Amino acid sequence: MATQAERPSNYYDIVIVGAGPVGLMLSTCLARWGYKIKHIDNRAEPTPTGRADGIQPRSLDLLRNMGLKSAIMAHKPARVYEVAFWDPPTSGKGIVRTGTWASCPSFIDARYPFTTLLHQGLIERVFIDDLQKNNVQIQRPWTIKGFTSDEKANPEYPVEVQLEHVDGTGSETVRAKYLFGGEGARSFIRDQLKIGITHKDPIAYVWGVMDGVVKTDFPDIKMKCTIHSEHGSIMVIPRENNMVRLYIQIASSTDPDFNPRKTATVEEVQASAKRILQPYSVEWERVEWYSVYPIGQGIADKYTLDHRVFLGGDACHTHSPKAGQGMNTAFLDAQNLAWKIHAVESGFAARSLLHTYEPERKEVAENLLAFDNKYAKLFSQRPPAANEVAAASKSTGPEENEFIKTFKESCAFTSGYGVFYKANALNWSASHPVQSHVILDPATAGTKLQPGRLYINADVTRVTDANVVHLEQEVPLNGSFRIFVFAGKPSVTAQALKDLAANMARKNSFYTAYARPDADTVSHHEKHNPHSMFYTVCTIFAEKRSAIEISRDAPALLGRYQDHIYADDRWDRHVPDATASAHAKMGLDQERGGVVVVRPDGYVGIVVKLEEGSATVDALNAYFGSFCTKKLGDTLAQL
């Protein structure tokens, strides 16, 4: 990459259009990693009120990993631990509570088993503040007027973008390596690329949404509620600062007089809410935000045409607000693309890595729309019975009917923990070109770690300072692959660890081939990337902390990451009989361990045995060699 000083001032690494959740997440990641960004938005200021409001448990993990969670929680958002269902009674009028259940049940191993609720503008400002620390300002109110992408004409900066102030008082033309469209459902970039939207469900709805402060005797106003009554349906979402959000369906395409442009006044929606909530009363002290909008389930046919101009967020997928997924899916679109652009532009990965963005993220959006559709239909048909609610909240049950199965699938999916990516070069499978006897196939080896799924949460004790830490949070979102060496019992694995370190240190290994050029002068206090910007190595011994001596038990290469050496000595309720719970949760041998490669976005790439000799590193060389820019080791000949 050229340094910023060598480029013309109107040359950028990326132009990002739209400063909603997807654009801000992408911009924040790339700004932290040193990229030159032109980021525009057609609004004069961030979202003042309303719009998206739900951060799901997995997204909170991500925000914590970025160091942004505390700034969001400082706004004292509402936390939804349970969902309540209200329906007409079997006899009489009005509504009664027919059940409650955990929004993130205990069978999901979540750090934060709740949905966090606050308005989108507060969330946007947290990202904007972080961008300012990295000298990125959102250029407002500017819009995109046109663009071209031609790698033949300019292989390094193929995208030319025309930008204009919304009132026409200024314009500029810039060049970039990439252009990203995060402008929402009415994406100019998507339209210019002539990318169509496929609508999944012919049923379309018109919804009213109102944020405000209410005075009511309805007992569950601080809970998330789905309310069915003879007068209609409503969804209640608690919010920050004593506010509550009400979603109310105004029209459906199944209505005989359906009009997708149907609207309703604030007063009409309030009157409807009062009827639905009877026999309870509700009055509004103030209304902060109100909107009426049609909902149709749609997904873009493509997320990119040339892997230079990309789409993400609502420009790619639209769905109902009921599952609270829009912002969360946008975050993960951006994170997925950000680390892949970084891996390519920093010379680590082949450009073909960018070809995995669309299939990985489009599949997630397809699953989201399918769940959204199934979930909505199931709940609109009938309320769940109390015994179904109880069964759905447990990890196993005697009989799982359609409601219970759907609820569990939906909880895993909506929490974010159920998202998975199919097999490709990054996510090892039995069909991967790299095969070895040391690779642990979850289908046959008993490991609980599945390539393409999130790394499993685990508590361990950091050896250097005796702090109990969340292992999955120990490496921040820094663009590095995380290499977790589960070292088992030192008395059993001592030679295997020495061989692992020796083979990692060999010329042309996956680790040495991408060493930092300044490795000899890196600060002694560098925790995460002392040797390579592309790997952080963590070592976990199945031993009490007091029995571990880093200089004795960890070879020097692993010992250099002294702040990433851990004792697997914490009890865990999910594996109550294990002596080394982190090893057990991963499904790894508690004496012999194993090596886990986790992608920069927290998804498992490959799991291999920790074995004496060179086979472990040979397999890792072959795995990384399948998508990296350099030939690694004498790999395939040795496998």
Side-chain angles (χ1 to χ4, degrees):
M1 281 170 37
T3 64
Q4 294 193 17
E6 293 169 346
R7 303 167 174 160
S9 61
N10 67 331
Y11 277 53
Y12 294 86
D13 290 313
I14 189 167
V15 175
I16 297 174
V17 182
V22 69
L24 289 170
M25 174 64 81
L26 181 62
S27 200
T28 298
C29 291
L30 294 176
R32 289 179 171 192
W33 300 334
Y35 291 87
K36 185 181 178 186
I37 300 165
K38 167 74 83 172
H39 195 162
I40 70 164
D41 190 87
N42 61 9
R43 300 171 296 166
E45 61 178 22
T47 303
T49 55
R51 291 210 182 188
D53 61 1
I55 302 175
Q56 300 295 350
R58 161 60 189 150
S59 297
L60 211 54
D61 286 344
L62 168 59
L63 293 167
R64 178 183 167 186
N65 201 229
M66 297 176 71
L68 300 177
K69 172 178 167 276
S70 57
I72 284 172
M73 301 311 279
H75 291 290
K76 296 188 169 22
R79 302 181 186 192
V80 169
Y81 284 88
E82 290 192 354
V83 182
F85 257 69
W86 288 75
D87 295 279
T90 51
S91 61
K93 294 192 175 291
I95 52 174
V96 294
R97 188 191 298 115
T98 51
T100 64
W101 59 79
S103 58
C104 187
S106 59
F107 67 81
I108 298 172
D109 188 11
R111 293 293 185 191
Y112 309 107
F114 52 83
T115 302
T116 303
L117 293 150
L118 74 167
H119 88 72
Q120 183 176 316
L122 296 175
I123 299 166
E124 288 176 8
R125 284 172 171 82
V126 169
F127 282 95
I128 291 166
D129 289 347
D130 195 79
L131 283 170
Q132 288 174 344
K133 295 174 188 173
N134 291 290
N135 301 312
V136 175
Q137 304 284 336
I138 312 294
Q139 191 169 319
R140 303 175 184 272
W142 280 64
T143 189
I144 182 170
K145 300 301 287 185
F147 65 92
T148 57
S149 178
D150 187 347
E151 278 190 323
K152 290 180 181 176
N154 190 329
E156 192 176 2
Y157 291 88
V159 187
E160 184 175 88
V161 190
Q162 291 82 43
L163 306 173
E164 187 176 281
H165 193 282
V166 293
D167 66 7
T169 56
S171 64
E172 58 180 302
T173 299
V174 300
R175 293 205 75 91
K177 295 178 178 178
Y178 301 96
L179 170 63
F180 182 76
E183 329 106 294
R186 299 182 183 88
S187 169
F188 170 84
I189 294 172
R190 188 190 66 228
D191 289 347
Q192 291 298 299
L193 293 172
K194 296 182 169 53
I195 292 174
I197 293 279
T198 298
H199 291 281
K200 297 293 178 183
D201 187 349
I203 298 176
Y205 303 96
V206 179
W207 284 80
V209 57
M210 184 185 299
D211 292 346
V213 178
V214 300
K215 182 180 179 181
T216 180
D217 58 354
F218 178 63
D220 286 353
I221 199 67
K222 296 287 188 182
M223 300 266 286
K224 180 178 177 180
C225 303
T226 298
I227 303 168
H228 298 285
S229 88
E230 61 180 312
H231 301 291
S233 298
I234 203 166
M235 183 175 271
V236 176
I237 309 282
R239 288 281 300 277
E240 76 282 4
N241 297 328
N242 296 317
M243 282 197 300
V244 65
R245 167 168 289 191
L246 298 181
Y247 284 112
I248 189 160
Q249 191 173 305
I250 291 170
S252 165
S253 57
T254 56
D255 298 340
D257 58 346
F258 176 64
N259 177 2
R261 293 181 178 80
K262 184 174 180 179
T263 188
T265 65
V266 169
E267 293 75 19
E268 286 170 338
V269 168
Q270 287 176 343
S272 182
K274 288 180 179 183
R275 286 194 299 273
I276 292 169
L277 282 170
Q278 290 173 358
Y280 301 102
S281 65
V282 60
E283 299 292 339
W284 274 261
E285 293 182 4
R286 66 180 173 88
V287 173
E288 178 162 306
W289 183 69
Y290 174 70
S291 181
V292 174
Y293 53 97
I295 292 293
Q297 288 191 332
I299 188 165
D301 297 333
K302 300 285 290 178
Y303 283 26
T304 181
L305 298 182
D306 61 355
H307 305 99
R308 289 289 189 171
V309 181
F310 291 93
L311 303 171
D314 287 356
C316 294
H317 38 77
T318 57
H319 42 84
S320 88
K322 294 187 293 299
Q325 288 301 296
M327 179 163 53
N328 299 273
T329 306
F331 283 157
L332 296 182
D333 285 350
Q335 182 203 25
N336 188 290
L337 183 60
W339 80 261
K340 290 172 181 175
I341 286 176
H342 178 54
V344 169
E345 290 302 320
S346 56
F348 176 72
R351 184 160 288 282
S352 58
L353 184 72
L354 294 171
H355 296 197
T356 65
Y357 167 68
E358 179 184 299
E360 286 196 340
R361 295 306 304 162
K362 192 167 188 279
E363 175 86 8
V364 171
E366 297 268 12
N367 290 340
L368 167 59
L369 266 59
F371 273 123
D372 188 40
N373 194 350
K374 189 175 180 182
Y375 206 38
K377 284 181 178 175
L378 198 70
F379 284 136
S380 63
Q381 286 165 3
R382 63 174 180 84
N387 64 325
E388 291 177 327
V389 170
S393 298
K394 297 172 185 172
S395 59
T396 56
E399 291 184 29
E400 295 200 344
N401 64 21
E402 191 63 19
F403 168 77
I404 296 170
K405 287 179 185 172
T406 304
F407 174 78
K408 286 187 173 181
E409 290 170 3
S410 299
C411 283
F413 193 83
T414 56
S415 69
Y417 290 103
V419 170
F420 68 94
Y421 298 136
K422 287 185 175 176
N424 56 26
L426 292 163
N427 312 321
W428 186 89
S429 71
S431 61
H432 198 283
V434 175
Q435 299 293 324
S436 166
H437 73 277
V438 298
I439 297 174
L440 292 171
D441 184 340
T444 57
T447 174
K448 296 171 187 172
L449 293 162
Q450 297 211 13
R453 288 193 177 270
L454 277 170
Y455 185 56
I456 294 169
N457 294 342
D459 289 349
V460 291
T461 304
R462 195 163 49 215
V463 171
T464 52
D465 59 6
N467 278 221
V468 177
V469 297
H470 297 166
L471 183 59
E472 75 283 355
Q473 286 285 350
E474 280 291 273
V475 183
L477 181 63
N478 59 5
S480 300
F481 279 80
R482 299 126 188 232
I483 312 293
F484 291 96
V485 180
F486 283 85
K489 290 284 186 187
S491 59
V492 176
T493 60
Q495 188 59 49
L497 282 176
K498 288 177 185 174
D499 291 348
L500 174 74
N503 284 288
M504 284 173 66
R506 286 174 62 183
K507 184 182 179 184
N508 293 334
S509 79
F510 74 92
Y511 184 75
T512 304
Y514 292 98
R516 292 176 63 149
D518 62 346
D520 292 340
T521 58
V522 171
S523 166
H524 170 74
H525 299 288
E526 172 56 50
K527 292 181 182 180
H528 309 302
N529 300 103
H531 186 264
S532 170
M533 297 306 294
F534 303 109
Y535 306 106
T536 300
V537 183
C538 303
T539 306
I540 306 98
F541 289 102
E543 197 64 89
K544 297 287 184 189
R545 176 186 170 271
S546 58
I548 298 169
E549 196 64 58
I550 293 175
S551 60
R552 179 193 67 208
D553 298 325
L557 184 146
L558 304 180
R560 174 62 182 88
Y561 297 85
Q562 62 177 11
D563 291 299
H564 285 302
I565 295 181
Y566 309 94
D568 187 0
D569 59 0
R570 309 302 301 174
W571 181 82
D572 191 295
R573 65 183 175 85
H574 292 90
V575 284
D577 299 326
T579 55
S581 62
H583 283 66
K585 287 183 81 174
M586 309 296 162
L588 297 172
D589 189 293
Q590 294 178 57
E591 290 196 349
R592 299 189 176 280
V595 180
V596 183
V597 175
V598 175
R599 303 167 13 156
D601 55 358
Y603 291 82
V604 176
I606 191 171
V607 186
V608 299
K609 295 177 184 175
L610 177 60
E611 192 174 275
E612 293 178 16
S614 67
T616 299
V617 172
D618 290 341
L620 295 177
N621 286 340
Y623 166 73
F624 283 108
S626 69
F627 56 84
C628 285
T629 53
K630 298 179 182 179
K631 186 178 184 301
L632 302 176
D634 184 16
T635 52
L636 293 173
Q638 297 181 40
L639 287 178

